[in-house]
Amino acid sequence: MYCNKCGAQLIDGARFCSGCGAPTVAYVGAVGVGTAPSAEQEKYKVMDDVTSRLNSLAGGTGSVKLRFGDFFDSILKKHTREEAEELFVCGTNATTPPVNEVSADWPHPWLYSRVFLVLLATFIGCVVLGFELENLNAFPGIMFVGAMVVPFSLLIFFFETNAPRNINMVDIVKIFFIGGIFSILLIYPLSSVLPGGGVGLIVPSMITGIVEELAKIVLTAFFLSRVRGRGYILNGLLIGSAVGAGFAVFESAGYAFNALLSGDSASMLENIVLRAFLSIGGHTAWAAVEGAAMGLCEKDGVFDWRILVDKRFLIFAASMILLHGIWDMYVLFLDNFGIIKYLILIAAVWVFVIVLLNRGLEQVNELADRPKGVDAEASSNVAQGGISPTAVESVVAVAGSSDAQVLTGIYCPKCGTKHAEGERFCRGCGMVLS
């Protein structure tokens, strides 16, 4: 395919000519030229504005591309036992890499899917044993394993995305259990200070959100303060998710047990399945955001309890409290559509997660003194903007090479598309490169 304006050969999928910047025929047909922005374009503009504001609050620049697909593109690939074992071998003095050797690649996690399948298979086995074979001894397993399926799988997801690899799995499991149960215990004294919590109405729902999020914040802060060595934003994301996952498991198992006590085993099973699905965007993700917010407020990676009154942390924490409160309250125009409200809230919290994950990877690059937009499939594909208004030539010395082999590449500062030497216009967005 060739450009109609200058005759330059076009790369398949290019939206603009890299020689003259003219839009390609395919792109013109898709979006039109000289027309008002389509609804889809407006949607992306709004999302860019949202992620840009959140990224700015987190200390970054530019909008953040929501790369949800990268969280799933490796789960169908074949992985060896050695790969899984390597993921778990970390967090000790001997296995924690120095920051300049840390991979800040945008994550493509996969182990969480295997953990999910193991827990799901165990849960299904318990259900068959309890309901089909009428073995009452299986009901505790149905409740607890069913409550673990999604939250614990999410915890493994955040473990995989902790690029510094400075926290081991033994500590994470400890935080999962101790942080989970003690955050629930902390609800009781907090409720005596802020009584009136509940669900349905606005005020009780918001009080519940405040109390439960404060409880998780305290436990997350406690465990974050005990991280050995330098702390990272990604550490907060992981530790917060561990506390939140533990909280979610104990809470869901308790609700299931109450349903069983009412004499309705089918209601118990329905409760477990529904709460498992909804936990994708519940306590685990909320606490992860709060933990990451603590991490970004740390000065030189050192925890200080005063970060809990830092303006940036308070904004992120208040956002999670608001999401939690809306989750619990009856919203007339949304609750009439069943699960729609929860899907919107799940999407909202994951926008926060991705922005903070991106910022955490940027932090690793900054500490390793790497040029921005180089590492990890060129991080500039993720964080758009924040680079000089001309094309950027990125240079990385290969870690561990005595000869310091150098790799080069040119990336568009606006959309992050990689280009060869000599291209004058970005084929992704049409921006002038030189």
Side-chain angles (χ1 to χ4, degrees):
M1 186 167 66
Y2 297 88
C3 175
N4 286 341
K5 182 175 181 181
C6 72
Q9 187 170 3
L10 302 174
I11 294 176
D12 288 344
R15 298 191 298 171
F16 295 87
C17 173
S18 60
C20 68
T24 64
V25 173
Y27 185 57
V28 170
V31 302
V33 175
T35 60
S38 67
E40 184 174 2
Q41 289 173 310
E42 288 290 351
K43 178 185 69 175
Y44 283 116
K45 183 179 184 301
V46 170
M47 188 54 65
D48 281 348
D49 289 343
V50 170
T51 59
S52 180
R53 288 175 182 273
L54 289 177
N55 196 29
S56 176
L57 181 63
T61 55
S63 60
V64 176
K65 186 176 180 181
L66 302 179
R67 301 170 65 177
F68 288 106
D70 290 347
F71 297 152
F72 303 99
D73 62 1
S74 290
I75 64 177
L76 296 180
K77 297 178 181 177
K78 185 176 181 179
H79 298 277
T80 65
R81 174 187 288 269
E82 288 72 24
E83 286 181 272
E85 291 173 347
E86 186 178 344
L87 285 172
F88 284 116
V89 180
C90 65
T92 67
N93 290 333
T95 58
T96 299
V99 67
N100 63 338
E101 295 179 10
V102 170
S103 170
D105 289 4
W106 183 256
H108 297 264
W110 60 273
L111 186 60
Y112 75 95
S113 65
R114 307 308 194 262
V115 172
F116 172 79
L117 291 176
V118 168
L119 291 172
L120 180 62
T122 306
F123 173 66
I124 292 173
C126 289
V127 170
V128 171
L129 189 61
F131 284 85
E132 296 299 322
L133 301 179
E134 299 181 352
N135 186 335
L136 296 179
N137 292 332
F139 278 71
I142 292 173
M143 291 182 286
F144 200 76
V145 176
M148 282 186 66
V149 173
V150 174
F152 196 80
S153 300
L154 280 177
L155 175 56
I156 299 301
F157 168 89
F158 286 111
F159 181 77
E160 291 185 82
T161 59
N162 182 45
R165 295 178 58 76
N166 60 332
I167 304 176
N168 62 67
M169 196 62 202
V170 173
D171 286 339
I172 290 303
V173 171
K174 177 178 69 177
I175 295 171
F176 170 78
F177 283 106
I178 296 179
I181 193 61
F182 276 88
S183 57
I184 290 179
L185 287 171
L186 189 56
I187 288 174
Y188 289 87
L190 289 174
S191 295
S192 65
V193 177
L194 287 171
V199 296
L201 298 177
I202 294 177
V203 173
S205 298
M206 292 308 302
I207 291 176
T208 297
I210 293 170
V211 169
E212 293 188 0
E213 295 311 310
L214 281 178
K216 289 180 290 181
I217 285 169
V218 170
L219 268 296
T220 299
F222 170 75
F223 286 111
L224 196 57
S225 71
R226 298 173 64 84
V227 171
R228 291 175 295 181
R230 194 194 198 290
Y232 299 86
I233 294 172
L234 296 175
N235 293 167
L237 202 65
L238 172 58
I239 290 174
S241 71
V243 172
F247 187 103
V249 169
F250 286 115
E251 184 184 58
S252 292
Y255 279 121
F257 183 63
N258 279 326
L260 185 63
L261 287 180
S262 69
D264 189 352
S265 58
S267 176
M268 177 269 291
L269 183 60
E270 180 182 345
N271 182 283
I272 280 289
V273 172
L274 179 60
R275 288 185 66 86
F277 171 74
L278 296 179
S279 63
I280 297 170
H283 291 292
T284 307
W286 296 332
V289 169
E290 291 155 357
M294 295 180 205
L296 70 88
C297 293
E298 288 180 338
K299 185 176 182 181
D300 298 323
V302 178
F303 182 87
D304 186 325
W305 284 91
R306 286 175 293 184
I307 66 176
L308 297 184
V309 294
D310 185 288
K311 179 181 177 180
R312 292 174 298 168
F313 168 75
L314 291 175
I315 292 174
F316 280 108
S319 299
M320 295 305 102
I321 289 172
L322 179 62
L323 291 179
H324 189 157
I326 296 173
W327 187 286
D328 286 344
M329 73 177 63
Y330 178 70
V331 182
L332 181 62
F333 63 93
L334 287 177
D335 282 279
N336 289 336
F337 295 95
I339 206 168
I340 296 297
K341 178 184 79 173
Y342 300 108
L343 294 178
I344 293 172
L345 294 173
I346 289 171
V349 72
W350 275 92
V351 170
F352 280 85
V353 169
I354 290 179
V355 168
L356 289 167
L357 176 58
N358 174 74
R359 183 67 193 113
L361 294 172
E362 286 184 342
Q363 181 192 49
V364 171
N365 272 331
E366 291 164 3
L367 292 172
D369 198 26
R370 298 184 182 119
K372 208 171 187 182
V374 176
D375 205 57
E377 305 168 39
S379 286
S380 57
N381 272 333
V382 182
Q384 302 168 14
I387 312 178
S388 63
T390 59
V392 178
E393 181 173 311
S394 304
V395 181
V396 181
V398 177
S401 170
S402 59
D403 296 326
Q405 178 184 0
V406 174
L407 305 175
T408 62
I410 292 179
Y411 299 87
C412 172
K414 182 177 180 182
C415 73
T417 301
K418 185 175 181 179
H419 293 278
E421 295 283 353
E423 293 187 350
R424 298 174 53 211
F425 295 87
C426 174
R427 59 179 175 271
C429 66
M431 182 176 181
V432 178
L433 298 177
S434 59

